[in-house]
Amino acid sequence: MITQPSDPSTQHSTLSPQSSTLNPQHSTLNPQHSALSTQPSAPSPQSSTLSPQPSDLSPQSSVLRPHSLLITGGAGFIGSNFVHYWIKKYQEDRVVILDALTYAGNPANLEPVANHPQYRFVHGDIRDYDLVVNLLQEEKIDTIVHFAAESHVDRSIHGPDAFVDTNIIGTHTLLKAAKKVWLDRSSEKSESSLIAQSSVLSPPSSLCRFHHVSTDEVYGSLGLDDPAFSETTAYAPNSPYAASKAGSDYLVRSYFKTYGLPMTISNCSNNYGPYQFPEKLIPLLILNCLAGKSLPIYGDGLNIRDWLHVDDHCRGIDLVLKKGTVGQTYNIGGNCEKTNMEVVEAICRLMDELSPNKDSVPYSSLITYVKDRLGHDRRYAIDANLITSELGYAPAESFETGLRKTVEWYLANQDWCQNVMVGNYREWIEKNYED
Ligand code: NAD
Ligand code: DAU
């Protein structure tokens, strides 16, 4: 039986003054930091209680009650929805957000929760090893929920480098930092007294969790009659984005198998909902309707995605953190396959109802077929039987209810929309659609 960590508020109040402020310089990426890490040592006794034989690791059950979370990418779409979800549901938990505020990160996404007493935002890069180690120690982090990524397939086709840097190097930097703070601390004698002192207060590794948020795109593309992706489907990533996520998944797995780092992975289907950056299909279509611009559909519009409201994704991750098996991957999906044409038609119908065109011309008249995405995966579908049977997961929103709420959110948040449709966004639209 795993014991609960002590009250986090007590833990936080014991923080030394030195560790209570984070040097803002840390937010500047310093690639040298990752080279400073010491050679990995053998799994500590703590990790060996989790995993007696690293070479013989099998998934193990645990019930984890997170108390101090590091949420990477928390200013992005899913990350910010997860922060809202968590703060509302677990008011006493510490929620520390680490986000580099790339074009996709937006502090406005976090405004509704920014005054919560347990909230802290750190502007920094997941590739900054020293920053991450300091944060894990200073905040006594027991749970990392890793959303930070370059996430747009089309951008990965135009410029793959950032995807390798953030998704692979960045994930590896987080893993190294988690290993150092959670697993290596008792075996390293050469640490400074500050770090050693701080480490004493860190939670035991058996209560820690590295949860990696991944995607169904690692499994490649399905034919119309193929069975849906399960956790045992072989990886076959087709875009640089999908390949970089697959690489990060493998690294997370390897840190469990080799070192006993307590981790879980979730591979989820297409999300939609509030705060999604309008480079992605659903918000792009809503905002193009409002602007009277064409609704660009790649290829024949018959590519299929499995759509899931972002709140349901957050609930799935919550279940994995609370009840999931350490070392396990869980697929999360909406059981909601739609062709892109079905999606655009549904949005046009909702827009005709909720924000009719002033000339009463149906929005569907704006649908325009454009050149296809390179290597465009034909179909994704998720078999969510494992998370359903083991953890009792089921999506709460149907596509109809979720899409209606989403359209209503974009209509009610025009300021948010106008603020993100500037600079980088305009350049991107020009590059992707007007080439
Ligand atoms: P997003 O692009 O909206 O947000 C990404 C966030 O990560 C941004 O806030 C950005 O500033 C931050 N970030 C990027 N590079 C960083 C770095 N080096 N250091 C720190 N922060 C950095 O992405 P999203 O759609 O919210 O996706 C979140 C995660 O979920 C990703 O890992 C993605 O692969 C995965 N995922 C997304 C979907 C989806 O449909 N959107 C589905 C399945 C899985
Ligand atoms: O499946 C999970 C993935 O879903 C996540 O891992 C990614 O981070 C997320 O971006 C999303 O990837 P997709 O490529 O499926 O999403 P996107 O919204 O970019 O495109 C959805 C479908 O719509 C896809 O078949 C491409 C098509 N599309 C997209 C855009 C932006 C168009 O037809 N026109 C467009 O303008």
Side-chain angles (χ1 to χ4, degrees):
M1 179 67 184
I2 291 170
T3 53
Q4 298 296 320
S6 57
D7 183 347
S9 55
T10 318
Q11 288 185 356
H12 293 136
S13 66
T14 60
L15 278 175
S16 66
Q18 294 101 313
S19 61
S20 64
T21 51
L22 189 72
N23 186 340
Q25 288 165 333
H26 283 140
S27 65
T28 311
L29 172 67
N30 180 353
Q32 288 169 330
H33 287 155
S34 53
L36 294 175
S37 68
T38 53
Q39 274 301 105
S41 56
S44 66
Q46 268 152 342
S47 65
S48 65
T49 60
L50 173 76
S51 50
Q53 294 296 326
S55 57
D56 184 31
L57 286 166
S58 57
Q60 299 164 37
S61 291
S62 78
V63 177
L64 189 69
R65 175 71 170 88
H67 284 89
S68 187
L69 288 79
L70 179 67
I71 300 176
T72 72
F77 163 48
I78 306 175
S80 62
N81 277 282
F82 185 81
V83 171
H84 293 197
Y85 170 95
W86 203 268
I87 282 180
K88 187 169 172 205
K89 188 163 176 192
Y90 304 107
Q91 303 249 336
E92 77 281 16
D93 284 357
R94 180 72 165 161
V95 173
V96 180
I97 294 132
L98 174 61
D99 198 296
L101 296 179
T102 68
Y103 79 91
N106 184 354
N109 298 0
L110 294 165
E111 256 167 30
V113 289
N115 291 325
H116 189 278
Q118 291 293 10
Y119 168 97
R120 176 179 175 194
F121 181 82
V122 178
H123 182 192
D125 198 302
I126 58 169
R127 293 167 295 179
D128 188 338
Y129 175 78
D130 286 352
L131 168 65
V132 177
V133 166
N134 284 337
L135 270 178
L136 295 181
Q137 290 174 333
E138 180 187 339
E139 294 284 358
K140 310 293 169 283
I141 298 294
D142 54 39
T143 304
I144 298 172
V145 190
H146 175 34
F147 293 96
E150 290 293 335
S151 69
H152 192 34
V153 173
D154 293 319
R155 287 189 193 249
S156 84
I157 295 166
H158 285 272
D161 300 61
F163 288 73
V164 174
D165 287 347
T166 288
N167 300 358
I168 299 182
I169 307 289
T171 301
H172 188 230
T173 307
L174 288 175
L175 288 165
K176 284 194 299 184
K179 174 178 174 291
K180 181 175 182 70
V181 176
W182 292 345
L183 303 183
D184 296 349
R185 58 196 171 190
S186 57
S187 60
E188 286 186 7
K189 308 290 180 211
S190 58
E191 292 295 326
S192 73
S193 58
L194 173 62
I195 290 178
Q197 184 190 357
S198 177
S199 298
V200 170
L201 300 172
S202 293
S205 62
S206 58
L207 294 175
C208 295
R209 180 75 65 84
F210 187 109
H211 182 75
H212 178 55
V213 180
S214 193
T215 171
D216 59 2
E217 301 206 11
V218 297
Y219 299 118
S221 183
L222 293 169
L224 281 184
D225 298 325
D226 289 337
F229 302 130
S230 78
E231 289 78 2
T232 55
T233 301
Y235 276 28
N238 291 323
S239 69
Y241 163 70
S244 68
K245 291 297 289 187
S248 65
D249 293 7
Y250 284 145
L251 283 166
V252 175
R253 173 190 158 92
S254 77
Y255 268 64
F256 171 65
K257 291 282 182 183
T258 304
Y259 307 114
L261 188 82
M263 66 76 174
T264 37
I265 299 176
S266 50
N267 292 84
C268 189
S269 60
N270 283 62
N271 284 215
Y272 64 97
Y275 302 110
Q276 187 167 30
F277 194 74
E279 64 189 354
K280 308 284 166 60
L281 181 68
I282 286 180
L284 178 97
L285 294 176
I286 297 169
L287 297 187
N288 278 16
C289 282
L290 279 174
K293 291 170 68 177
S294 67
L295 307 178
I297 300 301
Y298 297 162
D300 61 7
L302 297 181
N303 301 70
I304 293 171
R305 297 292 182 265
D306 173 6
W307 292 97
L308 182 72
H309 191 275
V310 65
D311 287 348
D312 284 322
H313 188 184
C314 294
R315 289 191 312 104
I317 294 171
D318 183 2
L319 280 172
V320 173
L321 287 170
K322 292 292 170 51
K323 303 204 287 181
T325 301
V326 172
Q328 182 67 56
T329 288
Y330 293 90
N331 283 355
I332 306 179
N335 198 18
C336 176
E337 290 183 53
K338 303 273 177 211
T339 65
N340 293 337
M341 277 311 288
E342 288 173 320
V343 172
V344 67
E345 281 162 1
I347 290 172
C348 289
R349 279 194 301 275
L350 278 167
M351 289 295 294
D352 287 339
E353 176 195 330
L354 299 171
S355 182
N357 183 312
K358 62 177 180 321
D359 303 321
S360 295
V361 178
Y363 285 107
S364 57
S365 64
L366 295 171
I367 294 172
T368 308
Y369 292 95
V370 300
K371 75 176 179 205
D372 208 354
R373 173 185 279 176
L374 295 179
H376 196 175
D377 286 339
R378 193 62 170 170
R379 173 179 167 237
Y380 303 144
I382 284 277
D383 172 349
N385 276 322
L386 181 66
I387 191 169
T388 302
S389 59
E390 199 181 295
L391 310 183
Y393 171 78
E397 293 287 354
S398 68
F399 190 63
E400 290 65 35
T401 59
L403 191 64
R404 178 174 287 273
K405 284 182 188 170
T406 303
V407 171
E408 286 170 347
W409 187 89
Y410 280 92
L411 293 177
N413 288 276
Q414 283 300 298
D415 286 352
W416 183 93
C417 300
Q418 293 311 318
N419 287 337
V420 299
M421 290 161 66
V422 291
N424 180 296
Y425 181 74
R426 288 181 196 281
E427 284 164 31
W428 166 251
I429 295 295
E430 208 167 299
K431 187 186 214 173
N432 197 45
Y433 298 97
E434 290 162 26
D435 265 358

